[in-house]
Amino acid sequence: MSRTLELTRQLISRPSVTPDDKGCQDLLIRQLEPLGFKPEKMRFGEGVDAVDNLWLRKGNKAPLFCFAGHTDVVPTGPVENWDSDPFEATERNGKLYGRGTADMKGSIAAFTVACERFVQDYPDHKGSIAYLITSDEEGPAVNGTVKVVETLEARAEKIDWCLVGEPSSTHKVGDVIKNGRRGSLGCELSIIGKQGHVAYPHLARNPIHLAAPFLAELTATEWDQGNDFFPPTTFQISNINAGTGATNVIPGELKLVCNFRFSTEVTPQELKNKVIELLEKHQLDYQINWNLSGMPFLTAAGELVSAAVSAIKTITGQDSELSTSGGTSDGRFIAPTGAQVLELGPTNATIHQVNECVGIDELDTLEKIYYQILVELLA
């Protein structure tokens, strides 16, 4: 059993469903403290909202290379639908099954083994190495990485290069590197009408009927055309609800939950203004609440991109595709500090699914790539 596989199995055995860390971070401290990493536990929030975070750093010189990741996982769903215990790592047909194998305990294990090897091989390496680990990436993400970054910024502790271990790969490890992410703007929208009897529509105002022309125009709007790095901004309605459940009652309110995934071609304020403009155009009575959960970020070029592309070519022989597709990640909190940020991890075909798994050989390949990146930047 490889060292990376062994450590992944140990992490999987801890049922760290958001926001519970279940001792994963203590395990990392035990692995890395003997190598000269100084641990700093950061706990933010209170009660059920409390989140455990960990900042581990070796060295105090620039440049600072940081591995970032999360020990929390999403719920398993019905355990009876799994072919094996989701918190007991199980090997079948060359794959390791368990919740978090791909997202992202396998990456954390590969980080750690790569770091152990690098420090042993290059005890006098340049700069510093750090870990930023949270147990609140899969949840609200309000007491996790964002708070750690605020703490680091307040004491002028700057990350130069950050590698996030999110599962970025599509078919083979390293075929895709995420060098940015779109922004995410959500809204909760209520269209106000007047409840009444369906037989007397002139005495009521049906918010569904009133909103229909507005929604048709809203969903047909082209927000931008994207650019060389980002696809066009998209808009989706993810929830819509109205009515009392009775067939003879006109509802008094229509509630919608919507989301924009936006490029760098448009600002959140521009998106908000356009939605308000359409609401006013259709003379709707409305209430709206916005939630900006992340701005777009991009690492178009630089030492980190070059090192990652080179390392993947060295270890696997393949060329990598740079991409900004997919959802958000904690990289959105780190990039605004000026750090170069990339996401590089295992294949993502089974993340958040029943029977989540990762190829066992992927873990060792990933460890070798991480090691080579450290060599390229700090040896």
Side-chain angles (χ1 to χ4, degrees):
M1 184 184 299
S2 77
R3 180 78 182 92
T4 305
L5 176 58
E6 178 186 4
L7 185 53
T8 302
R9 294 178 66 97
Q10 292 179 43
L11 289 167
I12 296 300
S13 70
R14 291 160 169 79
S16 53
V17 177
T18 300
D20 294 324
D21 172 70
K22 294 295 186 182
C24 292
Q25 294 173 19
D26 285 336
L27 175 60
L28 294 178
I29 291 173
R30 290 197 294 273
Q31 302 298 315
L32 293 166
E33 197 169 22
L35 299 176
F37 284 83
K38 294 182 179 179
E40 182 179 357
K41 293 185 177 183
M42 299 185 185
R43 187 173 176 84
F44 300 106
E46 298 179 356
V48 296
D49 296 322
V51 171
D52 290 310
N53 304 284
L54 177 63
W55 176 250
L56 279 158
R57 178 164 178 168
K58 178 183 181 293
N60 52 24
K61 297 179 181 179
L64 173 57
F65 179 97
C66 177
F67 287 115
H70 59 92
T71 52
D72 60 318
V73 298
V74 296
T76 62
V79 174
E80 61 271 18
N81 291 346
W82 286 68
D83 293 334
S84 53
D85 187 332
F87 293 115
E88 185 177 326
T90 305
E91 297 178 43
R92 293 194 302 274
N93 302 317
K95 295 183 181 297
L96 184 69
Y97 289 82
R99 177 56 87 219
T101 48
D103 191 13
M104 58 169 282
K105 292 181 175 180
S107 296
I108 291 176
F111 285 166
T112 303
V113 176
C115 224
E116 290 172 345
R117 273 211 301 143
F118 178 76
V119 170
Q120 290 166 2
D121 292 347
Y122 299 92
D124 299 319
H125 63 80
K126 296 184 292 187
S128 305
I129 306 173
Y131 279 59
L132 196 170
I133 306 294
T134 184
S135 62
D136 185 36
E137 195 273 347
E138 301 287 8
V142 295
N143 287 317
T145 299
V146 63
K147 291 289 181 66
V148 177
V149 169
E150 288 173 1
T151 301
L152 297 177
E153 285 288 285
R155 63 195 193 197
E157 196 166 359
K158 287 288 187 181
I159 297 170
D160 296 285
W161 303 308
C162 181
L163 197 156
V164 187
E166 290 290 346
S168 64
S169 304
T170 302
H171 302 293
K172 294 176 62 179
V173 172
D175 60 357
V176 176
I177 301 170
K178 303 291 187 182
N179 67 323
R181 292 284 192 168
R182 294 173 295 174
S184 178
L185 175 66
C187 77
E188 296 178 349
L189 173 63
S190 294
I191 306 298
I192 311 301
K194 183 180 180 182
Q195 185 173 311
H197 197 295
V198 297
Y200 302 94
H202 59 289
L203 299 177
R205 293 172 58 248
N206 191 322
I208 300 175
H209 295 187
L210 294 171
F214 157 74
L215 293 177
E217 186 170 356
L218 181 68
T219 54
T221 298
E222 181 183 74
W223 306 96
D224 60 52
Q225 296 183 335
N227 55 38
D228 290 343
F229 299 102
F230 289 91
T233 294
T234 61
F235 170 81
Q236 289 292 313
I237 298 171
S238 54
N239 255 297
I240 187 166
N241 182 59
T244 64
T247 61
N248 60 351
V249 178
I250 293 172
E253 184 178 11
L254 172 66
K255 294 183 177 181
L256 302 100
V257 179
C258 315
N259 183 265
F260 288 95
R261 293 300 166 102
F262 62 97
S263 75
T264 51
E265 292 294 303
V266 66
T267 67
Q269 193 58 53
E270 288 171 336
L271 295 173
K272 294 177 184 180
N273 291 345
K274 181 61 176 178
V275 173
I276 299 299
E277 177 187 319
L278 291 176
L279 287 164
E280 299 291 345
K281 173 183 174 181
H282 290 276
Q283 299 181 325
L284 296 172
D285 185 7
Y286 65 90
Q287 296 175 350
I288 191 165
N289 293 309
W290 299 97
N291 175 38
L292 178 63
S293 58
M295 290 291 290
F297 70 90
L298 178 70
T299 301
E303 302 94 344
L304 184 58
V305 170
S306 298
V309 170
S310 174
I312 291 166
K313 185 74 171 180
T314 298
I315 301 301
T316 70
Q318 68 180 336
D319 295 319
S320 301
E321 173 193 351
L322 296 176
S323 171
T324 60
S325 64
T328 60
S329 80
D330 276 1
R332 69 190 189 273
F333 302 126
I334 302 167
T337 68
Q340 296 177 31
V341 179
L342 291 183
E343 297 172 28
L344 174 58
T347 53
N348 54 28
T350 64
I351 58 175
H352 292 205
Q353 296 181 15
V354 167
N355 291 326
E356 178 184 348
C357 63
V358 66
I360 293 172
D361 59 344
E362 290 185 46
L363 296 173
D364 291 329
T365 300
L366 199 56
E367 184 271 329
K368 292 174 184 175
I369 292 171
Y370 292 155
Y371 173 88
Q372 187 61 32
I373 291 173
L374 288 171
V375 171
E376 301 249 356
L377 292 172
L378 297 179

